[in-house]
Amino acid sequence: MSDSSSAFQFEMMMMLRHLNHLHRQVKWEQPPLDRSAYLLLNRLDLSGPMTIRELREALGLDDSTLNRQTAAIVRDGHAERIPDPEGGVARKFRVTATGRNRLIAERARYEEALERVTAEWGEDDSRAFALLARRFNESFEGLENRRWERPAS
């Protein structure tokens, strides 16, 4: 292992710890979405309606896990099943207005918390960190051949 890989591994471990801690410190107006719902709703929000097969390919999860996760977000009113707009046989999942509003509110809470952490950084450092994090994530996505849509900047 190189020194940089060792240091990077340690800092990633610490970042995950801090992000979990940060999640608990956020003042939520209602209980936050669980991690799987937050990720799934983000993916559907960015990519548009998707079938179970499309979600399996995009997320690398098995059908039973996806069936359980999609059932939960549908039950909670955050997503709905719709006919394929392109005429396919399989039904697709789409974020509802309620789900989108919840997602927007949670994103804002996370962004506020991260801004508190980086308050003394300055815009250039924050932008550089975001670019390196994106580069890391895109490299990982390339290894798995599972690209994620990105929000418009």
Side-chain angles (χ1 to χ4, degrees):
M1 286 285 166
S2 69
D3 287 344
S4 61
S5 292
S6 180
F8 187 62
Q9 177 282 140
F10 181 83
E11 295 305 329
M12 289 296 294
M13 176 198 66
M14 293 302 297
M15 188 181 304
L16 290 170
R17 178 195 177 278
H18 293 310
L19 289 173
N20 284 332
H21 187 69
L22 187 68
H23 177 82
R24 291 190 306 270
Q25 289 180 337
V26 171
K27 297 199 177 3
W28 300 103
E29 293 175 12
Q30 53 188 319
L33 295 166
D34 68 31
R35 183 181 151 284
S36 62
Y38 187 74
L39 289 170
L40 190 56
L41 289 170
N42 266 288
R43 184 58 189 241
L44 290 170
D45 189 49
L46 291 168
S47 299
M50 298 175 79
T51 64
I52 287 289
R53 181 186 60 77
E54 291 167 333
L55 288 167
R56 180 182 61 235
E57 291 170 5
L59 302 173
L61 299 172
D62 61 72
D63 287 355
S64 65
T65 299
L66 284 168
N67 282 318
R68 190 171 53 255
Q69 290 178 357
T70 55
I73 62 173
V74 167
R75 181 190 64 238
D76 293 340
H78 297 129
E80 60 189 347
R81 291 187 73 141
I82 60 167
D84 185 345
E86 292 141 21
V89 176
R91 294 174 59 87
K92 293 193 173 199
F93 293 91
R94 174 177 66 190
V95 178
T96 61
T98 299
R100 184 164 288 109
N101 290 338
R102 180 76 183 270
L103 192 56
I104 289 167
E106 289 212 16
R107 280 183 191 148
R109 294 276 190 209
Y110 284 122
E111 289 167 10
E112 290 166 7
L114 290 171
E115 285 176 359
R116 283 195 314 272
V117 172
T118 61
E120 297 179 14
W121 285 26
E123 187 59 29
D124 288 343
D125 285 346
S126 292
R127 186 176 291 112
F129 186 74
L131 287 172
L132 285 172
R134 179 178 181 157
R135 184 175 174 192
F136 172 81
N137 286 327
E138 287 177 339
S139 294
F140 206 101
E141 293 161 24
L143 289 174
E144 291 189 326
N145 197 28
R146 289 193 178 94
R147 301 280 179 204
W148 275 69
E149 300 287 330
R150 295 290 191 286
S153 303

